[in-house]
Amino acid sequence: MTRHFLDIPDLSADELALVLDLSQRQQLPRPLEGQGVALVFEKPSNRTRQSMEMAVVQLGGHPVYTRGEEVGFDVREPVEDIARVMAGYHGMLCARVFRHEVVVRMAVVSSVPVVNMLSDHSHPLQALADVLTMQQVHGPLAGRTVAYVGDFNNVARSLTEACVMLGAQVSLGCPVGYGADDAELERMQSLGAGTVRQSHRPADAVAGASEVHTDSWTSMGQESEKAERVKIFEGYTVTPALMAQATAGAGFYHCLPAYRGLEVAADVIDGPQSHVIAQAHNRMHAARGALAFLMGVR
Ligand code: CP
Ligand code: NVA
């Protein structure tokens, strides 16, 4: 059966642990030898493009980067035609899209694995790197409190899912109207041994946390809302004072790109508690583990 990776729960908890293990192995086979991998981007990227291209090369494959406008999902031709055609050229199809339904529709018709490289709904490759980094910094996540302060977006959703599956206690701190709704909290809570709680007060959210995450308040595609969001998220900046409310030695994480002075103070992201560069470097290792898993490496 062709496996796809559109969301973290596409993996079982055991498979998630295996992907994290594969991500850290010194030696992997080259399951993409002689095969292409399509990397289609409807939005800009630094980390995802660079890390995916290198992961594909390290697994023996040839990455083919394509801008979204060139293929024109549902503009130049239907998503299904694009996916069926590309599946004949490549061992894997990867896409960064505005609408999550595009990667879902690709997966329905594709004979090769489809990978979500970020959608409006989720960012599973980022979450793999996030949990890999936290494990390297502080050890296993089970029982630890992982806080996320800011917008409950694609990054927050995938991070929460991965943390719950690994047994962590996730603590979300989001403004009213920008958090997870009750059904979403319940769904995420049901994914594993961990727990999820949500507060509208950042200080409550980080209490007891050994790991503090945030992301930009305005995601790609929401630029017209930026001025309004900057007002709504006032008070949600991760400052040194907020970090002091977490446990001593708590780590700071951000998927990047970061906006200093908005979601995070420069003193935090550029300070000793920050792990953002290791986290970005882990995007490549996590991608290599995920792609190897999808190609059948165990
Ligand atoms: N974190 C992340 O996905 O970065 P890019 O948008 O640069 O790929
Ligand atoms: N939430 C952000 C993540 C960027 C990597 C966005 O979607 O723009």
Side-chain angles (χ1 to χ4, degrees):
M1 191 186 75
T2 303
R3 296 290 301 265
H4 304 290
F5 188 48
L6 308 186
D7 280 300
I8 287 288
D10 290 346
L11 304 172
S12 68
D14 285 349
E15 288 171 341
L16 174 56
L18 172 60
V19 168
L20 295 170
D21 175 60
L22 291 171
S23 304
Q24 296 180 93
R25 279 196 207 158
Q26 295 296 323
Q27 296 287 332
L28 281 179
R30 291 163 64 85
L32 287 167
E33 192 73 56
Q35 299 190 66
V37 172
L39 303 175
V40 183
F41 283 84
E42 288 194 310
K43 303 174 183 177
S45 172
N46 172 10
R47 282 143 290 271
T48 306
R49 177 180 178 182
Q50 308 283 331
S51 62
M52 285 291 281
E53 289 209 17
M54 289 314 301
V56 169
V57 168
Q58 289 165 3
L59 294 172
H62 176 84
V64 178
Y65 170 84
T66 308
R67 288 187 307 119
E69 307 91 280
E70 289 180 49
V71 293
F73 289 120
D74 286 338
V75 176
R76 190 160 182 264
E77 55 185 326
V79 168
E80 286 78 7
D81 286 359
I82 293 168
R84 282 195 197 99
V85 168
M86 281 191 171
Y89 306 142
H90 298 293
M92 196 174 288
L93 309 183
C94 310
R96 166 168 285 196
V97 298
F98 285 97
R99 296 173 293 138
H100 188 71
E101 63 144 292
V102 171
V103 285
V104 173
R105 286 166 55 200
M106 289 174 74
V108 167
V109 300
S110 175
S111 55
V112 300
V114 173
V115 176
N116 172 14
M117 299 194 296
L118 180 148
S119 69
D120 55 355
H121 181 73
S122 53
H123 197 2
L125 289 166
Q126 180 66 49
L128 293 178
D130 296 347
V131 294
L132 184 60
T133 311
M134 288 189 286
Q135 288 183 352
Q136 289 170 347
V137 170
H138 284 138
L141 283 174
R144 280 197 282 120
T145 299
V146 176
Y148 176 94
V149 176
D151 187 24
F152 182 75
N153 58 13
N154 42 13
V155 166
R157 176 175 287 106
S158 296
L159 172 67
T160 303
E161 291 171 344
C163 288
V164 171
M165 287 172 65
L166 294 170
Q169 295 164 356
V170 179
S171 177
L172 303 169
C174 313
V176 174
Y178 292 82
D181 64 23
D182 289 346
E184 184 63 348
L185 290 170
E186 200 175 315
R187 182 192 67 81
M188 295 189 298
Q189 172 78 64
S190 73
L191 292 174
T195 58
V196 189
R197 65 175 197 259
Q198 183 167 253
S199 159
H200 300 306
R201 287 172 38 88
D204 289 347
V206 303
S210 58
E211 329 293 328
V212 178
H213 290 249
T214 189
D215 184 16
S216 54
W217 294 339
T218 307
S219 284
M220 291 180 275
Q222 298 174 331
E223 288 78 6
S224 65
E225 300 172 28
K226 183 170 179 189
E228 185 192 355
R229 282 172 171 266
V230 167
K231 280 192 213 144
I232 289 166
F233 283 85
E234 196 185 340
Y236 284 79
T237 305
V238 179
T239 58
L242 188 66
M243 287 300 289
Q245 307 276 315
T247 60
F252 173 77
Y253 307 85
H254 191 309
C255 64
L256 305 179
Y259 301 92
R260 288 164 176 77
L262 294 179
E263 75 272 11
V264 61
D267 285 353
V268 172
I269 193 168
D270 300 320
Q273 287 171 278
S274 176
H275 300 287
V276 299
I277 302 303
Q279 190 183 356
H281 291 168
N282 272 333
R283 289 293 308 276
M284 179 175 74
H285 305 303
R288 191 175 60 246
L291 301 194
F293 173 82
L294 292 171
M295 295 306 291
V297 177
R298 295 294 182 267

